[in-house]
Amino acid sequence: MSDSSSDENCSDWIFYKDRPEWADVTPVPQEDGPRTVVKIAYSDKFKDVYNYMRAILKSGEISERALTLTQDALRLNPANYTVWQYRRHLLKNLEKDLQEELDYIGDVIENNPKNYQVWHHRMAIVEWMNDATGELQFIEKMLDLDPKNYHAWKHRQWVLIKFNLFKNELEFTHRLIEDDIRNNSAWNQRYFVINFVNDFDEKVIHQEIEYALNAILKVTKNESSWNYLRGLLIHLDIGLLEPKVVEVCEHLYAQGKKSVHLLAYLVDMAIEKLQMERYEPSEETKVLVNRAKEICKELAEKYDVVRKKYWLYVLDAIETNTTALL
């Protein structure tokens, strides 16, 4: 938590300058220079705590009271990297119970779920303990609060790699995608797992293509599943022309589906096929390219107007490269 009026007015709070056990420490005020342009209006409590924090940093004191001071300082500013670093220094030298620290940082993260420094501190503690028991469950709890929390996902990937806990991760991503098929973070995590564990083995790629296509058939306008599909196809020599994918796309188009992602795929598919038959395009390819031109016009004028200039550029490029062929 950051400083608040409730903290400031807490009746049992005693300023460090008034605590007898801190009488031996001379506080160090913040040095803002001789010409402060915009002076920050720190509360009296904030200035008091950080004046003593700077004094402890300066002296290098290793003590229980210094550890307590870091906790007060971090309650006021949980993003202060220097204080977190010094807290880790104290924990190590005081040989503190790291499980207690893990419980503490868990509470801090729940109040500051998108703070880089708190997640970094948790990573350091887990690494010191060399034990990830319960870690994936903690991260899952945080993702329940915000399924797209970048810091939680980054920490999860670190835990998976560090402790080789990939066994049930695809099932985890599946549950998240089932809950919200548009959860781009879950799709990204699935891609990360396939990459790290299977290194895009061709058999796995085809299994995942089926998975992506099933998702696309459920929600044709979902950009996440289309991006996942394209990410898989770049690892196949045949690329966008993979037969099963082409079949599904043609089926959707025949049904009158006008998803921007579907239309864009058909354009790119035609271009890729033309590049493969650059000098002697087949009649089928000519048909696909002519359709791609019409789709570019539709995208520019109706379905993806925000990128009108892009689609007109693509249309011009197709026409320029096919004038002598079609």
Side-chain angles (χ1 to χ4, degrees):
M1 293 184 297
S2 59
D3 194 11
S4 65
S5 57
S6 60
D7 269 344
E8 186 69 26
N9 298 324
C10 184
S11 59
D12 60 355
W13 174 259
I14 300 174
F15 283 86
Y16 276 80
K17 64 183 180 181
D18 298 325
R19 300 183 188 188
E21 67 271 26
W22 284 88
D24 61 312
V25 176
T26 302
V28 177
Q30 179 166 302
E31 178 56 60
D32 289 325
R35 295 184 179 85
T36 304
V37 178
V38 181
K39 190 172 183 179
I40 299 175
Y42 296 115
S43 69
D44 289 338
K45 179 180 178 180
F46 189 99
K47 286 187 285 188
D48 177 68
V49 169
Y50 272 88
N51 286 349
Y52 280 84
M53 190 70 241
R54 278 185 287 272
I56 290 301
L57 287 168
K58 184 177 180 180
S59 67
E61 179 179 320
I62 307 294
S63 66
E64 290 289 342
R65 72 174 184 176
L67 187 64
T68 300
L69 175 60
T70 65
Q71 192 164 329
D72 285 334
L74 292 166
R75 186 178 293 111
L76 295 166
N77 180 12
N80 191 308
Y81 175 80
T82 301
V83 179
W84 281 116
Q85 186 178 44
Y86 197 70
R87 183 174 178 85
R88 289 191 288 274
H89 177 64
L90 292 172
L91 290 169
K92 184 171 287 188
N93 283 275
L94 294 172
E95 298 182 347
K96 300 299 290 184
D97 184 339
L98 294 182
Q99 184 57 55
E100 288 184 7
E101 186 66 13
L102 198 64
D103 294 339
Y104 161 72
I105 191 59
D107 291 338
V108 176
I109 287 175
E110 288 190 21
N111 289 308
N112 304 272
K114 294 189 176 181
N115 180 324
Y116 167 78
Q117 303 303 344
V118 299
W119 284 101
H120 179 74
H121 185 70
R122 187 174 183 94
M123 182 188 76
I125 300 304
V126 172
E127 190 167 30
W128 286 355
M129 295 173 71
N130 195 30
D131 182 3
T133 303
E135 199 63 11
L136 293 182
Q137 289 77 8
F138 172 78
I139 301 167
E140 184 173 353
K141 181 174 73 171
M142 298 310 300
L143 290 173
D144 283 342
L145 299 175
D146 180 1
K148 300 180 182 181
N149 185 333
Y150 167 79
H151 303 288
W153 281 115
K154 181 181 178 184
H155 185 66
R156 190 175 185 91
Q157 292 183 353
W158 174 80
V159 171
L160 292 172
I161 294 172
K162 175 70 176 177
F163 298 96
N164 192 24
L165 299 177
F166 286 94
K167 183 178 179 180
N168 300 313
E169 194 64 9
L170 280 184
E171 177 57 30
F172 174 67
T173 65
H174 175 67
R175 293 202 311 271
L176 293 183
I177 291 169
E178 286 286 290
D179 289 341
D180 176 11
I181 202 168
R182 293 179 174 83
N183 186 340
N184 189 59
S185 297
W187 284 103
N188 179 71
Q189 182 74 352
R190 193 171 184 90
Y191 195 82
F192 162 78
V193 174
I194 296 299
N195 179 28
F196 199 89
V197 176
N198 303 106
D199 194 26
F200 294 105
D201 173 79
E202 188 165 340
K203 180 181 177 181
V204 174
I205 290 176
H206 284 287
Q207 290 173 348
E208 290 301 302
I209 286 173
E210 288 285 346
Y211 185 85
L213 288 175
N214 287 333
I216 287 170
L217 289 171
K218 289 179 182 178
V219 183
T220 311
K221 294 183 179 181
N222 176 24
E223 183 176 6
S224 297
S225 48
W226 280 102
N227 286 343
Y228 184 72
L229 176 64
R230 282 177 176 261
L232 295 169
L233 292 173
I234 63 175
H235 296 282
L236 294 179
D237 292 338
I238 199 168
L240 299 180
L241 300 177
E242 200 282 327
K244 180 63 177 179
V245 178
V246 172
E247 178 186 345
V248 171
C249 289
E250 291 292 357
H251 171 70
L252 290 171
Y253 187 72
Q255 286 186 321
K257 303 294 185 182
K258 296 295 183 178
S259 159
V260 169
H261 313 297
L262 169 63
L263 297 177
Y265 192 97
L266 293 173
V267 171
D268 291 341
M269 185 182 79
I271 293 173
E272 191 157 314
K273 191 167 178 59
L274 181 63
Q275 289 175 339
M276 290 179 63
E277 303 174 5
R278 184 172 303 174
Y279 301 109
E280 295 184 20
S282 65
E283 289 303 315
E284 178 191 4
T285 299
K286 292 178 181 179
V287 171
L288 291 178
V289 170
N290 285 326
R291 183 181 67 180
K293 292 180 184 179
E294 294 302 315
I295 291 176
C296 284
K297 294 175 185 177
E298 286 185 310
L299 286 165
E301 296 169 4
K302 186 175 181 180
Y303 297 112
D304 197 16
V305 180
V306 71
R307 295 197 298 166
K308 179 177 182 177
K309 290 184 178 180
Y310 169 74
W311 290 117
L312 292 179
Y313 166 79
V314 174
L315 174 61
D316 181 66
I318 294 174
E319 290 179 335
T320 299
N321 292 323
T322 59
T323 301
L325 296 174
L326 304 181

